[in-house]
Amino acid sequence: MAIQKEFVVRYRGDGHVRFKIPSRATPVQVARLISDNIAEIDGVISVNLFRRSRKLVIRYHESDCSFISLAKKMHAVLATLEQQGWFAPQSVVEISKKPSFGLKHKLKTSKINRWLDNKITSAKETAQAAKILGKLSSKGPKALINNPEKAIIDFLNDILVLYLIKTHWTRITQQWLVKPFVHRYEWLAMFYLFFLLVRSRKPK
């Protein structure tokens, strides 16, 4: 059976479609290839492939890419990957032959542990960045003494901008820069945010 026939539509709304996908589309490398190729389709906003629950969720701009157009381009992407042998049964067999690990390894590689590691890393990065911003922003300790309210607001604005950039960095580099017109509203929001930040720094 062609791989395209195993992608079954489970939900379809305005600019949103969800597929049930086969198990041979869930190995890490295969899932990454599917997500990356679909994300390059004009009009696609985001692609999320959930390997454990075997779901593929796509959000797109219907003005730039209709559902029919999206389906045709997905069909071509899956056909190409299938021709390259990514959905071959031996790939699934090789994955199933991986050695099983004990409870300690499972806990170490569990989602909860990975989530905690990511949060700890993010906290360290944010704390380090906040330390740097504290030294560079405004006019240093003198500004805090002269106008504590403005100094604190400026500092919090810096933290907010830093957090927003850090949160959206992957989308900025992989989607917004690649398709600036498709993501024009996101760019407008970013420019307006920087405008407000610069405007708040001007002396009254």
Side-chain angles (χ1 to χ4, degrees):
M1 181 185 292
I3 189 66
Q4 298 93 328
K5 295 181 180 180
E6 298 183 50
F7 279 67
V8 182
V9 176
R10 292 301 189 194
Y11 173 81
R12 178 186 168 191
D14 294 336
H16 177 205
V17 62
R18 183 168 67 246
F19 295 89
K20 186 71 175 180
I21 64 175
S23 57
R24 56 188 178 134
T26 58
V28 177
Q29 287 184 323
V30 180
R32 186 180 295 117
L33 282 170
I34 293 172
S35 299
D36 291 346
N37 279 277
I38 294 176
E40 292 178 0
I41 297 174
D42 289 337
V44 171
I45 303 171
S46 65
V47 181
N48 293 297
L49 194 153
F50 302 94
R51 296 169 54 233
R52 179 170 294 182
S53 56
R54 294 168 52 193
K55 289 192 302 184
L56 175 63
V57 181
I58 304 172
R59 296 186 182 277
Y60 58 97
H61 290 296
E62 290 198 348
S63 57
D64 301 313
C65 178
S66 66
F67 175 74
I68 300 299
S69 176
L70 174 66
K72 289 180 179 178
K73 292 177 181 178
M74 272 188 62
H75 189 282
V77 166
L78 295 172
T80 300
L81 293 177
E82 188 169 31
Q83 290 174 1
Q84 294 172 351
W86 287 104
F87 301 111
Q90 59 266 26
S91 300
V92 179
V93 173
E94 288 174 2
I95 292 170
S96 65
K97 288 182 179 179
K98 287 185 177 180
S100 58
F101 298 95
L103 179 61
K104 184 177 180 181
H105 181 271
K106 290 181 179 179
L107 289 174
K108 187 177 181 180
T109 57
S110 66
K111 285 187 176 181
I112 295 176
N113 191 71
R114 291 197 300 271
W115 181 83
L116 288 173
D117 287 342
N118 290 336
K119 290 301 179 184
I120 292 171
T121 302
S122 298
K124 288 180 180 179
E125 292 175 354
T126 304
Q128 184 66 25
K131 186 177 179 181
I132 295 171
L133 284 173
K135 292 179 180 179
L136 298 180
S137 63
S138 197
K139 297 180 181 179
K142 186 178 179 181
L144 184 62
I145 296 174
N146 294 337
N147 193 342
E149 181 181 356
K150 187 176 187 305
I152 292 173
I153 292 175
D154 288 344
F155 175 74
L156 293 177
N157 285 340
D158 287 338
I159 294 295
L160 176 60
V161 171
L162 175 70
Y163 171 76
L164 291 174
I165 292 176
K166 183 178 182 298
T167 302
H168 295 83
W169 185 250
T170 301
R171 290 188 175 182
I172 291 172
T173 55
Q174 296 183 9
Q175 297 180 17
W176 298 6
L177 287 174
V178 177
K179 303 174 183 176
F181 183 76
V182 173
H183 300 283
R184 57 191 179 277
Y185 298 115
E186 290 87 341
W187 280 113
L188 286 173
M190 179 181 288
F191 290 141
Y192 185 63
L193 176 65
F194 278 107
F195 165 75
L196 293 177
L197 181 65
V198 174
R199 185 171 177 271
S200 69
R201 295 299 179 83
K202 290 183 178 180
K204 295 182 180 180

